[in-house]
């Protein structure tokens, strides 16, 4: 009998990535399961480059019900799945797979919803009608553009070191709203209400080349990265008197909650889980 229908065992989920050992997803989903009374087992699986499809097949053969996918396999996951949600289709990347009847793989991307839910629901921020600047034009930026545009910002500008990449990305999303792309030199004399860092600069302890006067009065700055201490972009935002400075821990928990909902049909409370993660991050990194 397929373990899909084996109700004695906890349902099997995992995150696949490389590296994956520091992933907080097992902890987050463990806390969600505890809170909602769902019986799941959630592990982290390190996958070799080139081994993603085989790893997914093995996972399914073991009765796996759903996966999170992280760097560097989100595009592989997008290619592999049989069906995609519209937001995954647009993002060009899949971070959540649900194994459906007959082994059909359904792909979603919950990153953008995670970002928007954190800003709007958790923090009470506003994107609608505001001028929004998105730093970066890589996979992380692309993943959140659809849900950001759904909020109907007054303007969304993508800025990237390689300006052409920003322009091309904006072009891809132009039918969803007012979005344009440019280089950092084009930011002179511009002011923004919301600035979101989707570059990988923080990973390398770097700061994108931002002009001194970029923030409108009370502007919100959001780094999609997080860590035990403030990122260089967050420190820049503090120095430049941002109204609010946030890291990506809330986004991480919110994207996980969206995945959990897709798999289990139950929406966990995120605030207590964010609080636990925040405490643990301060203690252990
Ligand atoms: P990801 O999937 O995390 O977005 P990526 O596709 O490699 O990774 O994209 C990384 C993004 O961070 C790019 O927009 C990159 O800018 P370029 O396209 O010009 O390379 C941006 N980035 C990385 N380091 C940066 C830095 N120090 N300053 C500004 N942008 C940086």
């Amino acid at each position: 009998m397929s373990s899909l229908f084996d109700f004695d065992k906890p349902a099997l989920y995992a995150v696949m990535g490389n590296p994956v050992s520091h992933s907080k997803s097992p902890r987050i989903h463990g806390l969600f399961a505890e809170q909602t009374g769902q019986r799941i087992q959630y592990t982290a699986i390190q996958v070799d480059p080139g081994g993603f499809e085989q790893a997914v097949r093995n996972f399914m053969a073991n009765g796996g019900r759903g996966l999170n996918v992280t760097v560097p396999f989100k595009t592989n996951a997008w290619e592999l799945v049989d069906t995609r949600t519209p937001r995954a289709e647009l993002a060009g990347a899949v971070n959540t797979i649900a194994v459906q009847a007959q082994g059909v793989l359904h792909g979603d991307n919950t990153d953008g919803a995670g970002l928007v839910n954190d800003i709007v629901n958790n923090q009470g921020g506003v994107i609608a009608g505001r001028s929004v600047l998105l730093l970066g034009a890589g996979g992380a930026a692309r993943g959140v553009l659809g849900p950001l545009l759904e909020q109907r910002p007054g303007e969304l500008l993508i800025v990237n070191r390689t300006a052409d990449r920003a322009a091309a990305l904006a072009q891809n999303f132009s039918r969803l709203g007012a979005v344009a792309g440019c280089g950092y030199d084009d930011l002179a004399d511009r002011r923004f209400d919301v600035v979101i860092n989707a570059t990988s600069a923080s990973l390398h302890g770097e700061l994108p080349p931002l002009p001194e006067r970029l923030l409108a009065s009370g502007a919100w700055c959001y780094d999609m990265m997080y860590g035990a201490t403030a990122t260089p972009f967050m420190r820049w935002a503090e120095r430049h008197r941002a109204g609010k400075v946030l890291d990506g821990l809330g986004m991480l928990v919110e994207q996980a909650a969206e995945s959990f909902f897709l798999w289990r049909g139950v929406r966990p409370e995120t605030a207590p889980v964010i609080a636990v993660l925040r405490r643990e991050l301060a203690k252990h990194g």
Side-chain angles (χ1 to χ4, degrees):
M1 190 170 73
S2 155
S3 56
L4 240 181
F5 304 102
D6 188 346
F7 294 110
D8 294 337
K9 287 189 191 152
L12 200 57
Y13 297 88
V15 55
M16 288 186 177
N18 189 341
V20 83
S21 62
H22 291 99
S23 170
K24 300 203 181 298
S25 293
R27 177 75 176 132
I28 295 170
H29 285 281
L31 290 168
F32 286 166
E34 208 174 278
Q35 182 203 105
T36 58
Q38 294 282 309
R39 289 192 66 224
I40 71 163
Q41 185 189 329
Y42 189 110
T43 59
I45 301 175
Q46 168 110 359
V47 174
D48 290 334
F52 180 71
E53 178 166 358
Q54 191 54 52
V56 174
R57 300 287 171 219
N58 294 347
F59 179 73
M60 288 168 71
N62 288 328
R65 300 272 294 272
L67 283 169
N68 282 131
V69 182
T70 187
V71 177
F73 300 116
K74 289 186 190 184
T75 322
N76 300 88
W78 189 89
E79 285 161 2
L80 180 67
V81 292
D82 303 298
T83 57
R84 303 179 192 113
T85 59
R87 63 189 182 184
E89 188 70 40
L90 264 173
V94 157
N95 79 335
T96 308
I97 298 175
V99 181
Q100 298 180 328
Q102 270 91 46
V104 168
L105 296 179
H106 183 57
D108 195 1
N109 189 315
T110 64
D111 286 331
L115 172 70
V116 168
N117 286 347
D118 192 37
I119 294 176
V120 175
N121 301 338
N122 295 345
Q123 304 293 338
V126 178
I127 295 168
R130 302 291 155 92
S131 55
V132 178
L133 180 66
L134 184 64
L135 314 178
R142 183 171 178 169
V144 300
L145 264 172
L148 278 178
L149 285 167
E150 240 172 53
Q151 292 288 306
R152 298 267 159 248
E155 171 198 20
L156 202 165
L157 186 61
I158 307 167
V159 62
N160 199 42
R161 281 187 311 202
T162 324
D164 290 355
R165 258 186 114 186
L169 189 57
Q171 184 59 43
N172 266 313
F173 283 79
S174 57
R175 67 183 171 80
L176 295 187
V179 54
C182 70
Y184 286 93
D185 289 346
D186 304 312
L187 293 178
D189 301 323
R190 300 295 315 273
R191 302 280 186 281
F192 294 89
D193 303 312
V194 181
V195 181
I196 299 167
N197 185 14
T199 72
S200 52
S202 297
L203 268 183
H204 315 114
E206 295 166 359
L207 179 68
L210 301 172
E212 280 301 310
R213 280 192 290 277
L214 181 70
L215 303 182
S217 170
W220 283 40
C221 290
Y222 195 106
D223 199 326
M224 284 167 50
M225 300 280 163
Y226 63 87
T229 56
T231 66
F233 172 67
M234 291 168 72
R235 291 199 300 271
W236 179 93
E238 299 280 8
R239 280 201 308 278
H240 291 78
R241 300 173 189 281
K244 188 100 161 177
V245 181
L246 298 164
D247 73 3
L249 192 69
M251 172 181 174
L252 177 77
V253 174
E254 289 297 334
Q255 64 77 30
E258 287 279 317
S259 300
F260 193 88
F261 178 67
L262 179 80
W263 295 327
R264 309 299 303 174
V266 178
R267 207 169 266 288
E269 290 274 343
T270 50
V273 176
I274 295 172
V276 169
L277 270 274
R278 182 67 71 195
R279 275 200 301 277
E280 291 177 353
L281 195 60
K283 245 196 224 161
H284 315 291

